[in-house]
Amino acid sequence: MAANITTEYRMNDMRMLIQVIVVLFLCINLLLITTFFSKEVFYTTMRYLLFAVTLMSDSMFLFVTDILLIVNFSQYTIQMWFCLILYIISSLCMVVTPVTLTAMTLERYVAICLPLRHAELCSPRSTLHVILIIYSLSSLPCIVFLSIFFASASSASYTQSGTCAGETFIIYTWQGHLMSAINQFYFLIMGITVVFSYVKIMRVAKAASGEDKQSTWRGLRTVGLHAFQQLLCLIQLWGPFIEAAVSKINLMLSIKVRFFNYITFILAPRCLSPLIYGLRDEMFFHALKKIVLCGLRKKH
């Protein structure tokens, strides 16, 4: 009995910690989005526009997954139509971030390895096309999954209440395997793209000199951080399979594993975006500092 109470207290502490982290980074993302709209150069430059896409996608993903976490661990039941809406949003945002990171990596590759073509390939008009491609590619896995679900589920199932989780919409075992295969294929292509860009930029960095060398190595570190983010996103795909296997052994252990996966593979990669461009980028950092300082002066 005492052990169960202690475990419950620990779970409550973990929930509170997650809420603090989510609220903190939602506030940081909101501040960064405000900074993005403060200067024309940000919303006319590809890398900043793509950065804004990741911020908005990550913010929505954190918000929706946090709602699902609260609902599931509070053992609330919701109607499947509402769960379906939450699932569509979270599934889309989950893929948007790594696809956008790949696009940002390619932008760095063009800027460093093809500087004479950068203005042409990374113009504002090209950026809009890239954003449309990002959302089109990101929506494909969700469309495939939902098409199978709509074809298989009965109309009565949409008004039923139950626990909201991705497994709810898996009617046949092969659906889960198909989605896993599609996601793994996506991340394989993105991984190859990032590695290719990293190798090419490294060659340019070794051959460069002076200021060009410093700028190139900075771009190389940025691509490396993108690669680390994508690795965490890839591991996230294996989370449900690990949790399902552990739940058959020990329920309380599976809850702890779920918390660990959520913090390490869902929160962590989404929290790296503000670090990579919000704090490391000199121009963006100065604009951010100006907004923060103006806000503090107004309070005083």
Side-chain angles (χ1 to χ4, degrees):
M1 182 70 178
N4 289 337
I5 294 172
T6 304
T7 303
E8 184 62 31
Y9 276 126
R10 286 177 181 172
M11 292 298 104
N12 287 334
D13 290 342
M14 288 295 293
R15 290 172 203 167
M16 289 301 297
L17 174 63
I18 287 173
Q19 296 314 304
V20 170
I21 295 173
V22 169
V23 171
L24 174 64
F25 277 96
L26 283 176
C27 291
I28 291 172
N29 284 359
L30 181 61
L31 180 61
L32 293 173
I33 291 169
T34 304
T35 305
F36 168 77
F37 286 106
S38 67
K39 283 190 174 184
E40 185 179 353
V41 66
F42 294 145
Y43 49 87
T44 56
T45 306
M46 177 178 277
R47 63 190 175 119
Y48 294 119
L49 278 165
L50 294 177
F51 174 50
V53 169
T54 63
L55 286 176
M56 293 175 188
S57 173
D58 289 347
S59 298
M60 181 61 70
F61 186 77
L62 287 175
F63 180 70
V64 172
T65 53
D66 190 48
I67 290 174
L68 290 172
L69 191 76
I70 293 169
V71 168
N72 286 335
F73 283 104
S74 301
Q75 297 183 334
Y76 290 128
T77 57
I78 60 176
Q79 289 196 334
M80 285 302 103
W81 66 266
F82 183 57
C83 177
L84 188 62
I85 292 172
L86 294 177
Y87 175 77
I88 291 171
I89 295 171
S90 63
S91 296
L92 178 63
C93 293
M94 183 182 74
V95 184
V96 164
T97 294
V99 174
T100 308
L101 289 174
T102 305
M104 293 170 83
T105 299
L106 287 173
E107 187 276 333
R108 288 293 81 199
Y109 163 74
V110 172
I112 294 168
C113 300
L114 304 169
L116 297 179
R117 299 201 61 194
H118 184 262
E120 175 195 348
L121 296 174
C122 300
S123 65
R125 182 167 181 166
S126 299
T127 305
L128 292 177
H129 294 156
V130 169
I131 292 172
L132 286 174
I133 292 170
I134 286 169
Y135 276 95
S136 298
L137 289 174
S138 302
S139 62
L140 279 177
C142 190
I143 290 171
V144 171
F145 186 78
L146 291 175
S147 299
I148 297 170
F149 174 74
F150 290 144
S152 307
S154 63
S155 56
S157 62
Y158 300 111
T159 55
Q160 292 176 351
S161 295
T163 304
C164 188
E167 296 81 10
T168 307
F169 305 106
I170 298 177
I171 299 173
Y172 306 109
T173 307
W174 60 265
Q175 285 177 262
H177 296 319
L178 175 63
M179 283 309 299
S180 177
I182 292 173
N183 287 330
Q184 300 295 343
F185 174 75
Y186 264 55
F187 280 92
L188 176 64
I189 298 299
M190 289 185 281
I192 292 171
T193 304
V194 170
V195 170
F196 169 81
S197 302
Y198 190 88
V199 170
K200 289 288 186 180
I201 293 172
M202 183 177 286
R203 287 179 181 174
V204 173
K206 288 180 179 179
S209 60
E211 290 183 8
D212 287 342
K213 192 177 188 70
Q214 186 179 0
S215 175
T216 305
W217 279 106
R218 194 183 301 119
L220 192 65
R221 286 194 295 270
T222 300
V223 173
L225 286 168
H226 287 336
F228 180 63
Q229 273 185 288
Q230 287 186 322
L231 177 62
L232 292 177
C233 291
L234 174 60
I235 296 172
Q236 175 196 335
L237 295 176
W238 300 331
F241 299 103
I242 296 170
E243 290 164 18
V246 174
S247 64
K248 295 176 181 178
I249 302 169
N250 188 300
L251 181 60
M252 291 309 300
L253 180 60
S254 71
I255 293 173
K256 292 177 182 178
V257 169
R258 184 170 294 185
F259 272 121
F260 175 79
N261 287 344
Y262 185 80
I263 292 172
T264 309
F265 306 123
I266 292 181
L267 287 182
R270 268 79 194 175
C271 299
L272 279 173
S273 292
L275 171 66
I276 295 173
Y277 274 98
L279 300 178
R280 289 180 69 252
D281 186 274
E282 190 174 342
M283 187 186 298
F284 201 92
F285 179 71
H286 284 310
L288 175 64
K289 187 166 70 172
K290 186 177 178 180
I291 288 176
V292 172
L293 291 175
C294 286
L296 290 174
R297 284 170 188 165
K298 286 179 182 179
K299 285 184 180 179
H300 290 298

